[in-house]
Amino acid sequence: KAGVTQTPRYLIKTRGQQVTLSCSPISGHRSVSWYQQTPGQGLQFLFEYFSETQRNKGNFPGRFSGRQFSNSRSEMNVSTLELGDSALYLCASRSGGTKNTEAFFGQGTRLTVV
Amino acid sequence: GQQLNQSPQSMFIQEGEDVSMNCTSSSIFNTWLWYKQDPGEGPVLLIALYKAGELTSNGRLTAQFGITRKDSFLNISASIPSDVGIYFCAGQLTPGTASKLTFGTGTRLQVTL
C-alpha cells in the first residue's frame, strides 16, 4: 500500500507570490490534515479535510487555504507569501472513521520564501 | 500555537542504554501518539495509545497513556544508532471525527557507540 505522497519536495518562492502544495493520502483514507513545522513553533495544525469538506481549522491567517478533491487528494494554498511562511509543510492521512485512527505523515514539502 | 511539554529536550546516550521521555499537557486527550522524525523527513508513527492507563509495546519501544489522560511516556530499551532522531508526542482530543493533533516540543536523541 503506497504511503502519503507530497509534491513537490522542495520549493523556493519570492515574498508576495503564492504557492500550491499537493498531498495524496493513503488509498482508502478520506481525511487529510495539514501541519506547518518551524524551528520556533514546532508542529502546528493548519486544517483538516474530510470528504471534500473542511471540518477543523487551526489558528492561521486566511492566506492559508486548502481544498480536497473527490479522490481525497488535497491541495494547500498560501497567498501573498511572507518570509515567516518558510517551513516544512506536512500532510497527514487518516482513514477518518468514527474510531480513533492514527495519522500517517508524508515526507513534507520544504518551502523557502526569499 | 499550543505545544505539549516534552522532556528532556535532548539526550546524549550510549548505545545499549535505555531511554525514557515524557510528555505532559494541561488538558485531557483521548489519544496519545508517539512519532519519530529524521532530518528533512515527515514524522513516522511509532505507537498509538487509546485508553487511560494503557501500556503498549512495539519492539524495543514501550509507551504508556497516563491515568490522568494528561501525560504519556515513551521508553526505548537497548538503544542502537538508528534510534537517533527527534521524538514527538502528540495528543488528540476528539476520537475519530473532526480532530487535530497537538504536538510536543520534541526530544532529540543522540546515540554514541
Side-chain angles (χ1 to χ4, degrees):
Chain A
K1 207 178 204 184
V4 182
T5 304
Q6 290 188 247
T7 57
R9 285 293 308 275
Y10 303 93
L11 209 47
I12 300 176
K13 289 287 187 178
T14 304
R15 200 168 35 174
Q17 286 186 314
Q18 66 129 21
V19 68
T20 300
L21 312 181
S22 179
C23 172
S24 293
I26 292 170
S27 177
H29 283 194
R30 295 190 293 163
S31 166
V32 173
S33 299
W34 289 89
Y35 291 81
Q36 180 195 64
Q37 186 176 28
T38 59
Q41 296 296 315
L43 280 146
Q44 298 292 325
F45 173 77
L46 280 155
F47 30 66
E48 179 193 13
Y49 284 86
F50 178 80
S51 292
E52 302 178 65
T53 301
Q54 185 184 90
R55 65 178 186 181
N56 207 349
K57 190 176 188 302
N59 298 322
F60 278 81
R63 299 186 297 106
F64 292 82
S65 64
R67 60 177 175 169
Q68 187 179 34
F69 302 94
S70 58
N71 62 358
S72 293
R73 187 178 72 87
S74 176
E75 287 181 347
M76 190 192 95
N77 185 276
V78 188
S79 62
T80 319
L81 284 165
E82 300 176 359
L83 295 179
D85 296 334
S86 295
L88 181 66
Y89 289 89
L90 293 159
C91 162
S93 167
R94 296 169 60 243
S95 67
T98 54
K99 292 165 56 176
N100 288 322
T101 54
E102 300 95 339
F104 298 91
F105 284 84
Q107 292 180 299
T109 293
R110 170 73 63 184
L111 172 65
T112 302
V113 182
V114 298
Chain B
Q2 182 190 5
Q3 284 185 279
L4 306 178
N5 295 316
Q6 204 171 329
S7 65
Q9 191 172 5
S10 65
M11 305 180 71
F12 216 124
I13 64 170
Q14 289 195 323
E15 184 178 5
E17 287 185 347
D18 296 344
V19 173
S20 291
M21 60 190 78
N22 68 76
C23 193
T24 59
S25 169
S26 57
S27 46
I28 289 172
F29 288 107
N30 293 324
T31 301
W32 282 95
L33 307 170
W34 283 92
Y35 289 88
K36 176 175 180 277
Q37 186 176 28
D38 293 327
E41 302 292 328
V44 174
L45 181 65
L46 299 174
I47 290 181
L49 302 155
Y50 297 113
K51 286 184 184 178
E54 179 183 358
L55 187 70
T56 297
S57 293
N58 178 10
R60 294 180 296 107
L61 277 59
T62 302
Q64 183 160 26
F65 191 143
I67 57 173
T68 66
R69 294 165 64 193
K70 292 183 178 182
D71 56 7
S72 181
F73 306 86
L74 176 69
N75 295 313
I76 305 173
S77 63
S79 58
I80 59 178
S82 62
D83 290 334
V84 166
I86 303 178
Y87 292 79
F88 290 99
C89 63
Q92 178 177 303
L93 181 58
T94 307
T97 54
S99 66
K100 69 174 186 179
L101 294 176
T102 301
F103 279 87
T105 49
T107 294
R108 182 182 297 274
L109 180 61
Q110 294 172 284
V111 179
T112 58
L113 298 176

